[in-house]
Amino acid sequence: MGSVEGERTASGFAARDPSGFLSPYTYQLRETGPEDVHIRVICCGLCHTDIHNIKNELGMSNYPMVPGHEVVGEVVEIGKNVTRFKVKDVVGVGCIVGSCKSCERCETDREQYCNNRIWTNNDVYSDGRPTQGGFATAMVVDQKFVVKVPDGMAPEQASALLCAGVTVYSPLNHFGLKKSGLRGAILGLGGVGHMGVKIAKALGHHVTVISSSNKKREEALDHLGADDYLVSSDDARMKQAVDSLDYIIDTVPAHHPLEPYLSLLKLDGKLIMLGVINNPLQFVSPMVILGRKTITGSFIGSMKETQEILEFFKEKELSSMVEVVKMDYVNKAIERLEKNDVRYRFVVDVEGSKF
């Protein structure tokens, strides 16, 4: 089962206050319990949610806080009841590391909606210990919330799927939008948005990218393979696209109008919200009533769906666009992410960084 006696200390980078600045931090890991997997972290993705958390933008942050919830690592020890993993397996940990395991949601592979879910960081385990994320050398996680990285998949590629990838895949899966021939759009071409283009194209959809400017047109069409590109301020082109889409995946994490996009949906079309927005959004009800349209949301994905998206990317030979950085660059990476200056996901090389 492996042994890590004397190695219960983890080194990471933590925020101490709402400035969000990350600096070295050392803390103790819990002992590996019967259901636990002890993981040596290889790499971890950087997500907009990490910024919300480290800067207390949602008003719920606890410090010191080690961010990171797109974690890939190697198993170094397993508990006596662990059957799904073995030492040296390469595994992933996403946005949650615990739930009640007994409610209807947990028992039907929807544990991400459990009212007692435990976040990978900025939360508290059932034993009272604070959860700390993947910008650290090691983690101890319940096997239920660990997934197997497919053989041959690069760790940095797997990392980006554990939040961004599954966040797009889950609503397509849940709302029956995986069949080929659909016409969909991705609103916002960032870390989640670029995943949306990749996944939707692999499903055989006609994919339009909607953005606020022409800045990402070449990237969307030539590099990501989108079929069309709409600038939301181009009234003529937006009018041409009215009533043309089966769904829109809205990844924008900032306040924006909904009505221009609702008009693009066909009868029974769906506008699926993925971005975390603190201010109320508005629309007039005829925009949805007259087309029986749906405004809905989706939150990350289940552990089952997380494993599925990893296998999907392996089967389809897909890759995400990531920029790998060392831990000593992480504060600069956060600044750049706030300015959307990344194509399209930062992944921190934890294993290769100095602490």
Side-chain angles (χ1 to χ4, degrees):
M1 292 187 182
S3 176
V4 288
E5 292 182 10
E7 297 178 11
R8 299 293 174 186
T9 298
S11 298
F13 268 51
R16 264 73 170 197
D17 55 54
S19 71
F21 185 83
L22 302 185
S23 58
Y25 174 63
T26 300
Y27 55 99
Q28 295 299 118
L29 297 172
R30 72 171 186 263
E31 295 290 319
T32 306
E35 301 289 334
D36 286 339
V37 179
H38 187 122
I39 301 164
R40 176 183 63 81
V41 177
I42 297 171
C43 63
C44 183
L46 174 63
C47 173
H48 261 288
T49 303
D50 292 314
I51 296 176
H52 291 316
N53 283 334
I54 62 176
K55 298 199 170 186
N56 197 28
E57 292 176 352
L58 303 178
M60 301 182 293
S61 297
N62 299 293
Y63 302 99
M65 181 200 307
V66 178
H69 54 263
E70 298 180 336
V71 191
V72 175
E74 180 182 85
V75 176
V76 295
E77 183 184 43
I78 58 174
K80 65 180 181 180
N81 294 337
V82 174
T83 58
R84 299 173 53 231
F85 306 100
K86 62 183 184 300
V87 172
K88 294 191 176 180
D89 278 351
V90 178
V91 298
V93 178
C95 300
I96 60 173
V97 292
S99 70
C100 77
K101 298 185 180 179
S102 59
C103 68
E104 180 186 7
R105 299 174 186 186
C106 287
E107 291 180 343
T108 53
D109 291 318
R110 297 176 293 170
E111 62 283 326
Q112 75 271 35
Y113 296 109
C114 175
N115 291 326
N116 294 306
R117 62 182 172 267
I118 300 173
W119 302 105
T120 299
N121 68 299
N122 194 39
D123 207 342
V124 179
Y125 284 115
S126 54
D127 65 2
R129 289 174 180 259
T131 63
Q132 302 291 8
F135 288 1
T137 53
M139 298 178 74
V140 177
V141 183
D142 186 314
Q143 66 169 331
K144 164 69 177 174
F145 302 95
V146 180
V147 291
K148 178 75 168 65
V149 173
D151 292 341
M153 179 175 283
E156 66 273 14
Q157 289 291 322
S159 173
L161 301 177
L162 299 172
C163 174
V166 74
T167 294
V168 174
Y169 176 80
S170 182
L172 294 173
N173 181 51
H174 174 74
F175 292 113
L177 299 171
K178 289 169 65 177
K179 61 184 179 182
S180 64
L182 296 178
R183 298 180 70 90
I186 308 299
L187 177 55
L189 193 60
V192 176
H194 103 281
M195 287 288 188
V197 177
K198 294 256 185 182
I199 294 169
K201 284 298 296 178
L203 290 170
H205 296 180
H206 181 283
V207 180
T208 298
V209 169
I210 308 174
S211 190
S212 59
S213 74
N214 265 314
K215 185 171 66 173
K216 297 180 180 179
R217 177 183 292 274
E218 181 180 352
E219 191 80 47
L221 298 176
D222 297 340
H223 298 284
L224 294 177
D227 299 289
D228 201 358
Y229 189 93
L230 278 177
V231 177
S232 56
S233 59
D234 186 337
D235 292 338
R237 288 279 285 118
M238 289 289 283
K239 286 180 181 178
Q240 289 175 359
V242 166
D243 198 27
S244 67
L245 300 173
D246 295 295
Y247 68 87
I248 298 173
I249 301 287
D250 185 345
T251 73
V252 178
H255 190 275
H256 58 285
L258 299 184
E259 291 175 2
Y261 310 111
L262 288 169
S263 69
L264 306 182
L265 293 172
K266 297 178 182 179
L267 177 67
D268 292 324
K270 292 178 173 59
L271 176 61
I272 303 167
M273 309 289 296
L274 301 183
V276 177
I277 303 169
N278 293 328
N279 299 318
L281 301 175
Q282 293 181 320
F283 62 95
V284 294
S285 61
M287 293 294 297
V288 293
I289 292 172
L290 297 178
R292 202 163 60 193
K293 299 173 184 179
T294 301
I295 300 173
T296 188
S298 183
F299 173 62
I300 55 173
S302 66
M303 299 313 302
K304 181 174 181 288
E305 289 171 325
T306 304
Q307 190 67 62
E308 286 175 6
I309 190 60
L310 288 164
E311 300 294 345
F312 180 80
F313 261 61
K314 179 67 183 297
E315 176 191 346
K316 299 291 186 179
E317 298 183 344
L318 301 177
S319 62
S320 50
M321 297 175 68
V322 300
E323 180 177 339
V324 180
V325 300
K326 302 292 188 188
M327 191 65 78
D328 59 9
Y329 188 80
V330 71
N331 289 299
K332 181 65 175 178
I334 290 168
E335 291 178 11
R336 287 179 53 194
L337 179 57
E338 288 183 296
K339 300 173 183 176
N340 294 318
D341 178 24
V342 58
R343 298 293 183 273
Y344 277 94
R345 203 71 165 178
F346 282 116
V347 176
V348 178
D349 174 12
V350 176
E351 182 181 47
S353 296
K354 295 180 180 179
F355 287 83

